[in-house]
Amino acid sequence: MRRWNGWGDESDHFELSDDARDFLRARIGDGRPPHDATIDEALRGVADSRVHAAARFDTDPRLRLLHARGQSFPDWVAMKSGRFGPVADAVARPASHEEAADALAEAQKLGAIVIPYGGGTSVVGHLNVPVGDRPVVNISFERMNRLLAFDEKSQLATFGAGTPGPQIEAQLRGHGALLGHFPQSYEFSTIGGWVVTRSSGQQSLRYGRIENLFASGRLLTPRGALRIGSAPASSAGQDLREAVLGSEGRLGLLTEVTARVRRLPASEDFHAVFFPSWEAGVEAARAITQAEVPLSMLRLSNEIETETQLRLAGHTELIKWLQRYLGMRGIAQGQCMMVIGASGSLGATRRMRREALAIAKLFHGVHVGKAIGKSWAKNRFRGPLLRNALWDAGYAADTVETAVNWPQATATMRAIEAAAREVLYADNERMHAFTHLSHVYRQGCSVYSTFVFRSTGDPDGDMERWRRLKARVSTAIVEHGGTISHQHGVGVDHAPYLIHEKGELGLDLMRAMARELDPQQMMNPGKLFV
Ligand SMILES: Cc1cc2nc3c(=O)[nH]c(=O)nc-3n(C[C@H](O)[C@H](O)[C@H](O)COP(=O)(O)OP(=O)(O)OC[C@H]3O[C@@H](n4cnc5c(N)ncnc54)[C@H](O)[C@@H]3O)c2cc1C
């Protein structure tokens, strides 16, 4: 069963080894283990529903609670403390496009606000329930989780919008196909959620971001249904798929998604390369990308992330061997790890790897073989479980991400980390901040930073710290010309910064589109823009 107040399945744990605990203690001090609320305590805070249970809506308090939050830092503090804040008055769980249309019509009759719910993995407050006089309902897509159509010749697959990653790939495998969209939240996030948040998977270098995979879909707006996209390409005016991508539930319910799929690759492998410095690694990443080596992924960790990953992974013997080997090859302090992935036919995979490694060598990259890459691939969806273990040990964690042009990559990374560290100086506390580049483009790359700090032991104290952190790092991002989000979307947490990239007129255009399709402003108000 999925954890109600954390990440992952309840049976799935990521233990912090003694070495990992020592490492954190040395970096930021002893953690302060929290006192978490039980679900019964949390349920006591759920207000009575303001709507009567109706054909499509269930008012069960537990169900409402389980749909009330995502995975952002404020969501975690709310779930862990049991102080959820407002929850929706009812939840509908349609099993088809038609049932979703009925639920939307019923919500309209109730004069309710609708918050669409995919997998609940939002990390920016997309699912927050607003306070106000209007009732609020969740329309959740968890029952719309099937492959509905498969067009072998066109390589198109249509899914119910609530289909999560593993179910997508399992159903496609039977047709010898794959989608190849692997966000780290893959186990729980859904294809509908991916489209409306403009998600990016770990192997987007080969498979593309969700905007490249989204061929067409069905959108139920309060003003009626829209079919979007279909032809392989079109010059017939503006592409309405672009309006749906990133719409964050503001335009309506995306009920079905037709995605461009591929044949399953015959071979796939991941290799690790170590660089003597971050700067060498970034230049190698840029050179490999601009040489258009068709890798499936490339991820470069900075010095601190490299050390943190190796220490928290707990493979003591492998790491000793690695350090001896790297030492002999002249790589010691400041080492940065790059993981590259290649997928395709056996021959193509080998060729890509050879080409990438040859370029890496020009920047003094040392190839250390498959073991680390293999372990990264095996554990790539397990990383977020660490957040549970950190929390239990008294440490809080959060992340930010952006994308910038290549010349800004290093300065942005350093500025984000410096801003995060400065936040805690006033409290006489230390921040453990580390970064990687994981999505690379010819023009630039994403920059993804993680922060670990000691919990204050008090939900209000943690939130106060987080607000300062979020404000400082978001400001550092916009000052460096970065987007406020490369992959997580806007929600409420990033909304104040959207103006920097869209401008007033651009925001007006977005608001106008929502007004046109949703005149009663019932669809997820307060998210993306106000
Ligand atoms: C541990 C972790 C790792 C993550 N890693 C990545 C990553 O690698 N890449 C990445 O891109 N993101 C990542 N995310 C962020 C998150 O998974 C994505 O934003 C994801 O796309 C959200 O999908 P979801 O189905 O969970 O949507 P939800 O969280 O349920 O909803 C997100 C927003 O979409 C709306 N929505 C959802 N479904 C529909 C629908 N069918 N119609 C209309 N509106 C809808 C909701 O109203 C809400 O506004 C991560 C999150 C976590 C917690």
Side-chain angles (χ1 to χ4, degrees):
M1 204 199 317
R2 191 168 163 186
R3 279 191 178 85
W4 68 277
N5 65 347
W7 183 255
D9 193 275
E10 273 175 5
S11 61
D12 224 354
H13 298 278
F14 192 126
E15 300 296 342
L16 275 183
S17 65
D18 290 343
D19 187 39
R21 283 173 196 272
D22 290 346
F23 175 73
L24 286 168
R25 202 172 290 129
R27 291 269 169 176
I28 50 178
D30 276 319
R32 296 192 192 94
H35 167 72
D36 292 342
T38 63
I39 191 159
D40 289 332
E41 285 165 342
L43 278 167
R44 271 180 232 133
V46 175
D48 290 342
S49 171
R50 291 169 292 181
V51 306
H52 294 298
R56 297 278 168 229
F57 287 108
D58 192 332
T59 55
D60 172 50
R62 191 185 168 96
L63 185 69
R64 290 156 55 209
L65 188 85
L66 295 181
H67 288 84
R69 289 286 181 169
Q71 293 285 325
S72 69
F73 189 85
D75 291 333
W76 262 60
V77 172
M79 293 188 293
K80 295 291 188 184
S81 64
R83 291 168 17 187
F84 267 67
V87 309
D89 293 283
V91 181
R93 291 183 292 163
S96 65
H97 173 84
E98 290 69 27
E99 288 188 13
D102 289 348
L104 188 63
E106 225 166 285
Q108 244 166 335
K109 269 194 230 142
L110 289 168
I113 280 170
V114 173
I115 305 179
Y117 185 99
T121 67
S122 158
V123 282
V124 289
H126 282 124
L127 300 165
N128 290 9
V129 176
V131 185
D133 295 336
R134 290 171 82 176
V136 180
V137 297
N138 283 126
I139 297 186
S140 173
F141 293 94
E142 60 219 63
R143 288 185 176 151
M144 295 176 65
N145 58 6
R146 281 185 313 109
L147 176 63
L148 303 171
F150 185 75
D151 175 349
E152 164 87 51
K153 284 202 173 145
S154 314
Q155 298 199 356
L156 291 173
T158 302
F159 289 95
T163 317
Q167 275 165 262
I168 290 175
E169 296 303 354
Q171 293 176 85
L172 285 177
R173 213 168 297 130
H175 294 274
L178 103 163
L179 177 64
H181 192 72
F182 302 113
Q184 208 183 24
S185 57
Y186 165 81
E187 288 158 299
F188 301 106
S189 54
T190 64
I191 194 163
W194 297 340
V195 171
V196 302
T197 60
R198 295 191 89 100
S199 156
S200 193
Q202 291 166 340
Q203 284 167 271
S204 65
L205 196 50
R206 173 178 170 87
Y207 300 110
R209 286 165 59 91
I210 200 68
E211 54 259 41
N212 310 110
L213 301 170
F214 176 42
S216 61
R218 295 176 83 180
L219 183 75
L220 280 170
T221 81
R223 277 200 46 202
L226 259 178
R227 272 187 190 273
I228 295 146
S230 71
S234 165
S235 71
Q238 287 144 323
D239 189 340
L240 296 181
R241 284 174 313 170
E242 279 296 334
V244 178
L245 284 156
S247 57
E248 303 194 352
R250 294 291 315 242
L251 302 184
L253 306 174
L254 182 64
T255 58
E256 291 174 11
V257 174
T258 300
R260 297 174 175 137
V261 300
R262 286 176 165 79
R263 301 215 165 80
L264 275 168
S267 139
E268 168 158 88
D269 63 13
F270 299 90
H271 285 245
V273 183
F274 281 76
F275 290 89
S277 68
W278 166 257
E279 285 73 15
V282 173
E283 280 309 295
R286 184 173 68 83
I288 292 169
T289 313
Q290 291 177 345
E292 300 187 52
V293 183
L295 294 174
S296 66
M297 56 93 52
L298 183 160
R299 172 185 168 126
L300 176 70
S301 298
N302 75 357
E303 311 85 336
I304 309 175
E305 182 170 293
T306 301
E307 188 189 3
T308 305
Q309 280 197 332
L310 294 177
R311 291 290 294 271
L312 298 194
H315 306 300
T316 325
E317 286 313 308
L318 176 67
I319 293 161
K320 272 191 199 147
W321 168 85
L322 176 73
Q323 294 306 341
R324 265 199 309 272
Y325 178 68
L326 288 175
M328 281 177 343
R329 302 288 306 268
I331 294 189
Q333 262 195 330
Q335 60 186 234
C336 290
M337 179 171 74
M338 179 187 282
V339 177
I340 56 168
S343 317
S345 69
L346 199 57
T349 310
R350 280 201 194 119
R351 211 165 38 248
M352 290 173 223
R353 189 176 67 235
R354 265 201 308 270
E355 277 178 46
L357 293 178
I359 297 175
K361 207 168 168 188
L362 299 176
F363 297 90
H364 310 290
V366 173
H367 177 211
V368 297
K370 256 190 186 176
I372 290 181
K374 217 167 145 185
S375 153
W376 176 84
K378 188 168 152 228
N379 292 311
R380 61 175 156 161
F381 305 124
R382 292 185 54 75
L385 290 170
L386 188 57
R387 198 176 178 190
N388 301 326
L390 287 171
W391 184 270
D392 292 342
Y395 299 103
D398 198 20
T399 60
V400 296
E401 38 81 48
T402 181
V404 289
N405 292 343
W406 283 111
Q408 280 82 47
T410 297
T412 307
M413 180 275 275
R414 302 271 183 234
I416 292 173
E417 290 194 357
R421 289 189 193 107
E422 279 165 21
V423 166
L424 292 189
Y425 287 166
D427 305 357
N428 218 3
E429 285 282 326
R430 284 169 291 163
M431 176 76 74
H432 186 51
F434 50 92
T435 303
H436 63 254
L437 314 182
S438 48
H439 299 267
V440 286
Y441 307 92
R442 284 188 306 127
Q443 179 184 341
C445 58
S446 71
V447 176
Y448 186 110
S449 300
T450 302
F451 314 114
V452 184
F453 53 101
R454 290 205 298 174
S455 165
T456 60
D458 161 45
D460 294 327
D462 287 342
M463 277 304 296
E464 193 274 328
R465 245 177 217 178
W466 175 82
R467 277 194 201 99
R468 280 190 278 142
L469 171 69
K470 191 73 185 173
R472 289 296 295 274
V473 295
S474 300
T475 304
I477 286 172
V478 296
E479 281 175 358
H480 282 78
T483 169
I484 196 59
S485 178
H486 166 266
Q487 62 201 56
H488 290 161
V490 178
V492 291
D493 297 343
H494 292 155
Y497 304 92
L498 199 58
I499 183 85
H500 295 283
E501 58 196 273
K502 307 292 181 202
E504 255 322 323
L505 194 56
L507 277 181
D508 277 351
L509 206 55
M510 291 165 73
R511 290 189 193 106
M513 200 148 40
R515 256 198 322 272
E516 192 59 36
L517 295 177
D518 176 23
Q520 299 117 327
Q521 301 193 25
M522 63 187 289
M523 298 304 307
N524 213 7
K527 319 298 159 49
L528 185 58
F529 50 78
V530 277

